[in-house]
Amino acid sequence: MKDQLANIILFHRKRSGLTQLELAEMAGVGKNMVYELESGKQSVRLDNLLRILRLLRVHSKITSYSEAQYKHLEKRFSII
């Protein structure tokens, strides 16, 4: 997942003709943030990630497990 997201951001940034610095300035984040996302960093602020994705016109979707999926996970991982 992390490598997929990194590749998506890198692809769309380059397709947009933006440098890391330009994208960072447009998103109001530091250049290191863009570099870290493109390098697969796993811990970033969600609002910063969403801002970058929105600027690159990348649509994202957050979903939740169904009740059946939760029960399966509870059994499999002994979640109480």
Side-chain angles (χ1 to χ4, degrees), residues 18-53:
L18 298 170
T19 65
Q20 289 179 338
L21 181 59
E22 289 169 333
L23 177 57
E25 288 175 349
M26 291 173 68
V29 301
K31 180 184 171 213
N32 285 344
M33 167 81 177
V34 175
Y35 170 79
E36 289 170 349
L37 280 171
E38 290 181 357
S39 298
K41 182 176 180 183
Q42 294 185 38
S43 58
V44 295
R45 287 184 41 173
L46 182 59
D47 60 329
N48 289 340
L49 172 61
L50 293 175
R51 198 174 309 134
I52 287 170
L53 292 175

Side-chain angles (χ1 to χ4, degrees), residues 53-69:
L53 292 175
R54 204 170 20 255
L55 280 167
L56 294 174
R57 297 187 176 154
V58 175
H59 299 278
S60 58
K61 181 178 178 181
I62 298 173
T63 60
S64 180
Y65 291 114
S66 69
E67 190 65 30
Q69 289 169 316

